[in-house]
Amino acid sequence: NAGVTQTPKFRILKIGQSMTLQCTQDMNHNYMYWYRQDPGMGLKLIYYSVGAGITDKGEVPNGYNVSRSTTEDFPLRLELAAPSQTSVYFCASSYSPGRRKNEQFFGPGTRLTVL
Amino acid sequence: DQQVKQNSPSLSVQEGRISILNCDYTNSMFDYFLWYKKYPAEGPTFLISISSIKDKNEDGRFTVFLNKSAKHLSLHIVPSQPGDSAVYFCAASAAGAGTASKLTFGTGTRLQVTL
């Protein structure tokens, strides 16, 4: 199993550009999450999904959109990039409730810089 | 409002000695606590967890202690090894957070194990 994979690893955007961060997991997890980590800070939840077609906002959703058309994929969309979105983005997935539901498996991250 | 706090940004310990990493929380609804380990340029990796119905959980060299009355948990690593040098994040989740195990992270403690 590859686990959770994220592309790209690095990206530089200009203000106002848009992009999609890709996330794929091959563990058949129903639950998937997007976090951002700013320097010296913990991870903050942007959006999460409890299954295909179902998404919900986390703590810091403004400026982002998500979709979940399949169990495996959970892309994160930035429509109008702003310098405040410079961060490292982590995708994660987890089992359904009743099976170690709290343990999340993380991808390697995407480092995004907006100039 | 930081609901999960790791007040020590860094810690240096000699190889073979005990490392103690601390975490405090403010939300009484948190009922499950996790520690994640993160190496540079990688995603966080699950290390150990504890439910609020327990006060101790042990896994090899790693032990987590929970003091609910003080809203405090700690991670003990004995003996510390150079490969343990990483950033350690404390995270917490609440049963009332819906079906998804949304995690709230602390800001992390950088552990350096010296020879």
Side-chain angles (χ1 to χ4, degrees), chain A residues 19 21 34-36 38 45-47 57 60-66 75-80 82 84-87 89 112:
Chain A
M19 78 164 294
L21 283 67
W34 274 105
Y35 293 89
R36 60 177 285 174
D38 298 330
L45 183 65
I46 305 171
Y47 270 96
K57 296 178 181 177
V60 290
N62 291 346
Y64 306 95
N65 278 302
V66 293
L76 177 72
R77 178 86 178 160
L78 283 73
E79 291 293 350
L80 290 171
S84 61
Q85 293 178 304
T86 294
S87 190
Y89 292 84
L112 175 67

Side-chain angles (χ1 to χ4, degrees), chain A residues 31 33 37 42 101-102 104 107, chain B residues 34 36 43 89 93 99 101 106:
Chain A
Y31 294 74
Y33 314 82
Q37 184 191 12
K101 73 178 181 69
N102 300 83
Q104 296 181 14
Chain B
L34 306 89
Y36 280 84
F89 289 99
S93 69
T99 56
S101 53

Side-chain angles (χ1 to χ4, degrees), chain B residues 6-34:
Chain B
Q6 294 178 258
N7 292 319
S8 298
S10 64
L11 175 68
S12 182
V13 172
Q14 274 191 319
E15 181 182 10
R17 306 293 287 266
I18 183 171
S19 295
I20 301 176
L21 292 86
N22 294 304
C23 178
D24 297 294
Y25 62 96
T26 58
N27 189 340
S28 301
M29 299 302 293
F30 288 147
D31 68 339
Y32 202 86
F33 304 89
L34 306 89

Side-chain angles (χ1 to χ4, degrees), chain B:
Chain B
D1 177 29
Q2 192 74 20
Q3 296 186 66
V4 178
K5 301 177 185 179
Q6 294 178 258
N7 292 319
S8 298
S10 64
L11 175 68
S12 182
V13 172
Q14 274 191 319
E15 181 182 10
R17 306 293 287 266
I18 183 171
S19 295
I20 301 176
L21 292 86
N22 294 304
C23 178
D24 297 294
Y25 62 96
T26 58
N27 189 340
S28 301
M29 299 302 293
F30 288 147
D31 68 339
Y32 202 86
F33 304 89
L34 306 89
W35 284 93
Y36 280 84
K37 177 179 179 180
K38 185 182 180 304
Y39 293 118
E42 295 183 10
T45 303
F46 171 75
L47 191 58
I48 192 169
S49 62
I50 188 166
S51 165
S52 60
I53 62 173
K54 295 185 177 182
D55 55 19
K56 177 182 174 181
N57 189 26
E58 195 171 350
D59 184 1
R61 296 186 297 115
F62 303 93
T63 303
V64 56
F65 296 92
L66 175 63
N67 182 334
K68 283 187 294 183
S69 61
K71 293 191 177 66
H72 176 83
L73 61 155
S74 61
L75 173 68
H76 292 210
I77 306 174
V78 184
S80 300
Q81 299 174 353
D84 296 330
S85 297
V87 177
Y88 290 78
F89 289 99
C90 173
S93 69
T99 56
S101 53
K102 292 184 285 186
L103 297 179
T104 300
F105 282 83
T107 52
T109 296
R110 182 178 303 276
L111 173 66
Q112 183 174 12
V113 180
T114 59
L115 299 174

